[in-house]
Amino acid sequence: VLDARLAQGGDAASPWALDAANRLAIAQRRGGDETAAETTYRSALQACSDRRDREKAPRALEAAFNLARLLGRRLDLAIAAGAAPEPDALAEVETLHRRALAGRIALLGPASEPAVRSQLAVANHLHRRARKPGEAEAHYWSALNGAASLWGCAHPRTIIAAAGLAAALQDLGREAEAEEV
C-alpha cells in the first residue's frame, strides 16, 4: 500500500505516507537491508517533488537527509577500504545534504535542531569525504554556533562541530586558530 501511494505522487503521497516511508527505510537500514532502505528513500523523494507543500516538505527533507547519510556511510566504507570515492557518489551526497539544509533553514530557521544537524552533515561531508576543508569551514562555524546555542558547549554535537572545525582549520594550515577552537 505504501509503495502504491508513493508511486502515485502528488496528493496520494500524503504526509502520512512520507512519514511511514522514512520509518520503514530506517527499519530496513537497521535490519541490514541498505538497498531496500535506499529504494524507499528514493521513492519518498520522488513522490514529494513539490517543495512548496509545507506539510510534506519537512518529511521529504528528512528523507533527503537520511538518504545522504546512508550513501555517505557507503562512501566512508569504501574510503576506509582504500578505494577512491566515486565523483558522482560524492556529488549526490553533497546535493542531498545541501537540499536538506536549504529546506530546513527555509522552513524551520537556521537555529533549528534539524538545520544545525544538516549544517554539521554538510561540513563533515565536505571536509572528510570531498576533501574541501575551505568550503567546510563556514558550515562548521554555523553548526558550532547553532549547537552551542541549542545544547550548550558540553553537548556531544557541539564538541563534534568544534573538533571538525579544528581539523578543517589544521588542514588549511591555520594551526593557531585550530588550537583556539
Side-chain angles (χ1 to χ4, degrees), residues 108-155:
L108 306 169
S112 67
E113 185 265 341
V116 171
R117 285 177 40 227
S118 284
Q119 282 286 11
L120 187 55
V122 169
N124 282 331
H125 174 74
L126 290 170
H127 181 224
R128 291 183 18 240
R129 295 183 193 115
R131 305 288 188 229
K132 300 176 184 176
E135 289 183 45
E137 180 185 356
H139 293 285
Y140 276 128
W141 276 115
S142 294
L144 176 59
N145 291 330
S149 175
L150 283 170
W151 301 297
C153 294
H155 190 275

Side-chain angles (χ1 to χ4, degrees), residues 26-113:
I26 290 168
Q28 289 168 328
R29 182 186 51 80
R30 287 181 180 159
D33 194 351
E34 289 193 359
T35 302
E38 178 182 351
T39 300
T40 302
Y41 284 134
R42 289 188 189 283
S43 294
L45 286 173
Q46 187 174 16
C48 189
S49 60
D50 184 2
R51 296 181 194 166
R52 294 169 298 190
D53 186 329
R54 294 188 62 80
E55 194 173 0
K56 292 180 191 174
R59 292 152 176 95
L61 296 171
E62 187 69 17
F65 180 78
N66 288 336
L67 178 58
R69 288 179 55 210
L70 181 132
L71 297 175
R73 277 193 291 276
R74 283 190 195 155
L75 283 171
D76 292 341
L77 291 172
I79 292 167
E86 293 289 328
D88 289 346
L90 284 170
E92 181 179 20
V93 171
E94 183 174 338
T95 298
L96 287 164
H97 272 311
R98 287 186 186 274
R99 174 181 174 184
L101 173 60
R104 286 170 163 182
I105 287 173
L107 285 170
L108 306 169
S112 67
E113 185 265 341

